[in-house]
Amino acid sequence: KQQQLGKPQQQQQQSADGFAKLRTLEAAITQASITQVTATTKIFLICGDLKRCLTGKSKYAGRFAAATVGHRHVHMLSPEYDLAQVLQPKGLVLVESGQNMVQLNNEQVRAFEDRVVEMAEAGGFRRHGVLGVAANSRSSSSGGVVAEQQQQTVQAWCVPPGHFALEVASEDL
């Protein structure tokens, strides 16, 4: 086939073959990365009674590195749910902010976040210093997801758009 093609066609074919090899290699690297991350990470989707399913069980105390809470479930940050008890010291909670509630104006978004932080502080959290991606992004997350990381530090987490981060305030929780 190579003999029948002219020089420009041969170069195009070689270039296409090279790109195909690169795509194959890139897919293999991506798969290896996904395999490595999933080998050390467990994700638990929690719904229903948080106290009965998770925070009320001593076997989960200090087990989780991070959790995420949707804007409809920020009440779970209050002391009655004991979410801080299941997180590791300096454990991180990614909280969906009011930016994702289209009916709120900027002032109401700030008031919502201030109220969430106030409630979370009573529940054993403080605002975390990691920087997130700027607002104006909207998502439709709700419910809670808890991620158990076996060897990942809190500083490695990236705060998604429309969220802010809280951390466990005290190692004595």
Side-chain angles (χ1 to χ4, degrees):
K1 186 176 181 180
Q2 292 272 344
Q3 295 171 352
Q4 295 173 354
L5 298 175
K7 191 163 186 138
Q9 289 89 1
Q10 286 179 350
Q11 289 175 339
Q12 285 179 338
Q13 183 63 41
Q14 288 173 345
S15 180
D17 291 344
F19 283 127
K21 288 178 185 176
L22 284 174
R23 283 191 299 272
T24 302
L25 182 59
E26 183 181 46
I29 290 170
T30 299
Q31 181 61 41
S33 298
I34 291 169
T35 301
Q36 182 180 12
V37 168
T38 57
T40 61
T41 303
K42 293 180 185 178
I43 297 177
F44 298 87
L45 299 174
I46 308 294
C47 5
D49 185 353
L50 186 67
K51 193 110 170 141
R52 186 177 55 81
C53 295
L54 184 67
T55 62
K57 296 184 178 183
S58 61
K59 70 180 182 177
Y60 294 123
R63 183 164 179 192
F64 298 97
T68 181
V69 176
H71 71 267
R72 292 183 177 192
H73 297 89
V74 295
H75 61 278
M76 294 179 178
L77 299 169
S78 66
E80 72 181 82
Y81 287 93
D82 293 327
L83 186 58
Q85 298 294 327
V86 298
L87 293 170
Q88 298 168 357
K90 306 278 185 177
L92 187 67
V93 177
L94 299 177
V95 180
E96 185 180 25
S97 73
Q99 295 165 353
N100 298 317
M101 293 187 272
V102 295
Q103 69 274 23
L104 300 184
N105 63 35
N106 289 338
E107 184 179 322
Q108 291 169 322
V109 167
R110 282 189 298 278
F112 175 81
E113 291 179 17
D114 290 344
R115 177 65 182 113
V116 170
V117 169
E118 182 182 312
M119 183 177 12
E121 286 173 346
F125 297 98
R126 66 174 168 239
R127 201 155 190 139
H128 190 274
V130 298
L131 296 176
V133 181
N136 295 340
S137 299
R138 303 226 180 251
S139 70
S140 61
S141 68
S142 61
V145 176
V146 180
E148 178 182 3
Q149 290 285 336
Q150 294 173 347
Q151 294 181 345
Q152 184 158 358
T153 63
V154 171
Q155 290 76 20
W157 289 86
C158 178
V159 179
H163 290 72
F164 60 94
L166 300 170
E167 70 179 345
V168 175
S170 172
E171 294 183 16
D172 299 329
L173 291 176

